[in-house]
Amino acid sequence: MSINEMDSKVKELRELRRMADELAAEIDSIQDAIKAHMDAEGVETISGTDWRVTYKAVTSSRIDTGALKKALPDLAQQFTRITTARRFSLA
């Protein structure tokens, strides 16, 4: 790919990312409005003709790896898995 083609691709990528950011902001705004309505009504689920929205608390349990490393460093090391990934960034 020539430098001109690469310039064009990067410009296009930047524009698409800008558009995606705008869409994400609009999506968040609409979701926040729906959540506010559901909180005001005190409901966890609302339904329409062809849709249903749920907004409720979900509880999960996770291991606090920082605390585990402090309390039992050998055990933490024994169960630590190292992975490698490639990161794409555009500046």
Side-chain angles (χ1 to χ4, degrees), residues 11-55:
K11 184 177 179 180
E12 181 181 8
L13 178 58
R14 284 181 172 161
E15 178 63 16
L16 289 171
R17 283 185 173 177
R18 184 194 60 75
M19 291 168 55
D21 289 345
E22 288 177 4
L23 284 172
E26 184 66 23
I27 289 168
D28 288 344
S29 175
I30 292 170
Q31 286 179 341
D32 289 346
I34 293 169
K35 290 175 191 177
H37 172 75
M38 293 176 75
D39 281 340
E41 294 293 317
V43 296
E44 291 184 340
T45 303
I46 55 175
S47 298
T49 54
D50 63 345
W51 54 270
R52 179 173 52 197
V53 176
T54 58
Y55 179 52

Side-chain angles (χ1 to χ4, degrees), residues 1-12:
M1 192 178 306
S2 73
I3 193 69
N4 288 338
E5 291 171 321
M6 189 62 78
D7 284 343
S8 176
K9 289 289 184 192
V10 168
K11 184 177 179 180
E12 181 181 8

